[in-house]
Amino acid sequence: GQQVMQIPQYQHVQEGEDFTTYCNSSTTLSNIQWYKQRPGGHPVFLIQLVKSGEVKKQKRLTFQFGEAKKNSSLHITATQTTDVGTYFCAGQGAQKLVFGQGTRLTINP
Amino acid sequence: GAGVSQSPSNKVTEKGKDVELRCDPISGHTALYWYRQSLGQGLEFLIYFQGNSAPDKSGLPSDRFSAERTGGSVSTLTIQRTQQEDSAVYLCASSLFGQATYEQYFGPGTRLTVT
């Protein structure tokens, strides 16, 4: 069945450093969504990418969807302590949305 | 407006007992999802409802797990004869429609501890 893999599983950075998490699917995706889960909280929708090669930005966050629509990335520029949390990608394959295992970001202030 | 709500927020139960977890989705959302999240882990899909029917139950880990949805709204997840490995946070999410192009809104979860 469809699998969505995320790397790295954990990432620790110094405040101000950049951070990137990568998402790879075993099958071509119709779209990909990104969610953020703060410690102790629940996942919250960030963005959806639909088009091949699409790039979207939200302030310091940059989301990309690969040309083949099988991979995606989230890049955070100059991390802040408020960026702490787990970032999940979720890819739509044939029918349902499949979540990756998430990347947990911790930040040293 | 109101978001997705879940109850109870915390549940401690003894091994072997049955538990019921409740989810109230956002009004008007036709799709409802249950996930399980163990400590520090990702989201494990359990079941998906479109209206009152469940076209995808593929994630239910065993026949001890069941779920229903009534009136196209409230859903309950029942775990019979709980085991310690059932301890996790159970998250419910809803979306406007069942197609995966719609974002999912998550509830705060129910933390289940089986002693």
Side-chain angles (χ1 to χ4, degrees):
Chain A
Q2 179 190 349
Q3 291 187 330
V4 175
M5 308 298 292
Q6 254 185 283
I7 56 170
Q9 188 175 0
Y10 303 97
Q11 183 78 59
H12 180 76
V13 300
Q14 290 288 126
E15 187 175 14
E17 291 182 339
D18 292 356
F19 159 77
T20 305
T21 173
Y22 300 90
C23 186
N24 294 287
S25 170
S26 57
T27 59
T28 301
L29 300 171
S30 300
N31 66 74
I32 194 155
Q33 298 177 3
W34 286 91
Y35 291 76
K36 176 183 178 182
Q37 184 176 25
R38 295 181 184 273
H42 56 275
V44 174
F45 176 82
L46 293 177
I47 207 161
Q48 177 171 271
L49 304 171
V50 179
K51 300 176 184 176
S52 168
E54 188 170 14
V55 177
K56 286 189 177 180
K57 292 191 176 185
Q58 290 179 350
K59 297 182 181 179
R60 294 177 295 102
L61 278 60
T62 301
F63 303 84
Q64 291 189 318
F65 201 9
E67 294 289 342
K69 300 184 76 173
K70 294 181 74 173
N71 56 73
S72 181
S73 65
L74 158 59
H75 179 83
I76 302 178
T77 303
T79 54
Q80 299 175 0
T81 55
T82 53
D83 296 326
V84 163
T86 301
Y87 293 85
F88 292 96
C89 64
Q92 180 194 358
Q95 291 192 4
K96 69 181 181 185
L97 205 60
V98 177
F99 281 81
Q101 286 301 101
T103 296
R104 183 187 298 177
L105 173 64
T106 55
I107 297 175
N108 207 21
Chain B
V4 178
S5 61
Q6 292 186 245
S7 61
S9 55
N10 282 284
K11 177 71 177 178
V12 180
T13 190
E14 292 180 352
K15 177 182 173 181
K17 295 282 180 68
D18 298 353
V19 294
E20 272 193 3
L21 312 179
R22 176 188 169 107
C23 172
D24 280 272
I26 292 173
S27 178
H29 279 195
T30 65
L32 187 148
Y33 309 80
W34 282 99
Y35 296 90
R36 180 168 70 175
Q37 187 172 36
S38 299
L39 187 62
Q41 300 300 308
L43 299 172
E44 178 187 2
F45 168 80
L46 298 178
I47 189 169
Y48 151 59
F49 286 93
Q50 179 60 47
N52 291 334
S53 64
D56 190 347
K57 306 180 184 179
S58 61
L60 294 177
S62 75
D63 58 7
R64 297 186 295 105
F65 287 73
S66 63
E68 65 174 13
R69 189 180 185 195
T70 55
S73 181
V74 172
S75 177
T76 54
L77 176 68
T78 301
I79 308 174
Q80 295 179 311
R81 305 181 302 282
T82 51
Q83 303 294 314
Q84 287 187 332
E85 60 263 28
D86 299 334
S87 296
V89 175
Y90 289 80
L91 290 161
C92 173
S94 71
S95 63
L96 188 58
F97 296 109
Q99 291 86 349
T101 52
Y102 291 90
E103 66 183 270
Q104 297 185 15
Y105 295 81
F106 284 81
T110 293
R111 182 176 299 277
L112 175 66
T113 304
V114 182
T115 61

